[in-house]
């Protein structure tokens, strides 16, 4: 299987924009998904199919894709957005691959 | 409302066997794959494998093949993850999750089961 690489950490002030990247060779051919995991909780899906938002997820969460990199953008960051974020994709055999994870700190 | 409810925390000794469960409700259990994800203390998410409850077709990550067994009982809407001989390195949080669309992503997650293996 392949790897998905994320920056270990991103720091952002409240109200600013956080951008989290995820790089992988197969991303041009496969959709990417994003999960938010707050401390002590199970992950929650925040973006599916590169740029779609599930119901109940705030509009400040958005996704985009360009070549081998996908990006999760959190606009107008709030204190409650402090969490670990993981990208995920699937390889050609149907196996899921998770990114290395990014810790978002709200200053 | 879709829910995945996992069995409670376990404390085991090395060499012991264990089977943890994940009960689905609020949807057609046989129509969605159910996967298992490991999270070791302070670490990231690792995909272990997945099962289609209708026919028990199970697929494993190469990293976990032969180390665990994934099964399901569709009559009671429950999926399982089991070990025949635990190691200290199996200490982790284990999540079950429902596949959202044909082996692509997880749309609902269980609350997690903490497994501690210590002598």
């Amino acid at each position: 299987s392949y790897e998905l690489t994320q920056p270990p950490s991103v720091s952002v002030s409240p109200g600013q924009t956080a951008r989290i990247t995820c790089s992988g060779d197969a991303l041009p051919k496969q959709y990417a998904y994003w999960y938010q995991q707050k401390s002590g909780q199970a992950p929650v899906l925040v973006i599916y199919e590169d740029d779609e938002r599930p119901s109940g997820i705030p509009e400040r969460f958005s996704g985009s894709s360009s070549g081998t990199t996908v990006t999760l953008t959190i606009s107008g960051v709030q204190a409650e957005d402090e969490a670990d974020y993981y990208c995920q994709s699937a390889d050609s055999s149907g196996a899921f691959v998770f990114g290395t994870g990014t810790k978002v700190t709200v200053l | 409302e879709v829910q995945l409810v996992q069995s409670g925390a376990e404390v085991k000794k090395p060499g012991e066997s264990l089977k943890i469960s994940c009960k689905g409700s609020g949807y057609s259990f046989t129509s969605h794959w159910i996967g298992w994800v490991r999270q070791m203390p302070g670490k990231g998410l690792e995909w272990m494998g997945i099962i289609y409850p209708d026919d028990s077709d199970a697929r494993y990550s190469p990293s976990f093949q032969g180390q665990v067994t994934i099964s399901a009982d569709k009559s009671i809407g429950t999926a399982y993850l089991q070990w025949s001989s635990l190691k200290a390195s199996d200490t982790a949080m284990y999540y079950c999750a429902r596949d959202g669309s044909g082996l692509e992503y997880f749309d609902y997650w269980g609350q997690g089961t903490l497994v501690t293996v210590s002598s």
Side-chain angles (χ1 to χ4, degrees):
Chain A
S1 65
Y2 65 100
E3 296 181 348
L4 296 175
T5 302
Q6 301 178 232
S9 62
V10 168
S11 296
V12 60
S13 298
Q16 298 303 302
T17 296
R19 292 182 179 84
I20 306 163
T21 58
C22 171
S23 299
D25 289 342
L27 289 176
K29 302 183 291 289
Q30 301 283 356
Y31 281 126
Y33 305 85
W34 289 94
Y35 302 91
Q36 175 194 66
Q37 186 180 33
K38 295 183 179 179
S39 181
Q41 298 183 22
V44 172
L45 180 72
V46 294
I47 293 290
Y48 67 99
E49 292 179 357
D50 290 348
D51 57 9
E52 298 292 330
R53 200 172 45 250
S55 61
I57 299 302
E59 290 183 9
R60 63 181 180 273
F61 289 89
S62 63
S64 61
S65 175
S66 178
T68 59
T69 299
V70 294
T71 302
L72 173 69
T73 301
I74 312 172
S75 304
V77 166
Q78 300 182 8
E80 67 198 52
D81 300 329
E82 186 162 285
D84 294 324
Y85 291 84
Y86 296 90
C87 61
Q88 177 253 309
S89 191
D91 69 18
S92 55
S93 70
F96 291 20
V97 179
F98 286 102
T100 50
T102 299
K103 182 176 183 61
V104 170
T105 300
V106 181
L107 300 171
Chain B
E1 179 195 7
V2 174
Q3 283 194 315
L4 296 172
V5 178
Q6 298 184 230
S7 49
E10 301 274 1
V11 179
K12 291 289 193 178
K13 291 181 168 33
E16 291 186 333
S17 63
L18 176 64
K19 191 174 190 177
I20 61 175
S21 66
C22 169
K23 183 170 177 60
S25 62
Y27 73 100
S28 174
F29 185 73
T30 53
S31 299
H32 290 260
W33 294 80
I34 291 279
W36 289 92
V37 175
R38 183 176 78 174
Q39 188 167 40
M40 299 178 77
K43 302 298 184 184
L45 305 174
E46 300 174 88
W47 186 81
M48 302 177 71
I50 201 162
I51 189 165
Y52 194 65
D54 194 40
D55 61 6
S56 289
D57 178 11
R59 305 178 187 187
Y60 296 86
S61 162
S63 299
F64 293 94
Q65 180 84 47
Q67 307 304 308
V68 297
T69 301
I70 295 171
S71 61
D73 185 340
K74 64 182 179 181
S75 68
I76 57 172
T78 301
Y80 302 96
L81 177 66
Q82 70 180 87
W83 296 258
S84 59
S85 181
L86 287 160
K87 310 181 201 55
S89 57
D90 293 317
T91 295
M93 181 70 81
Y94 293 88
Y95 294 100
C96 67
R98 190 187 84 159
D99 173 62
S101 174
L103 292 177
E104 284 282 335
Y105 67 101
F106 292 128
D107 59 354
Y108 290 91
W109 293 66
Q111 83 277 18
T113 296
L114 180 62
V115 174
T116 303
V117 184
S118 174
S119 55

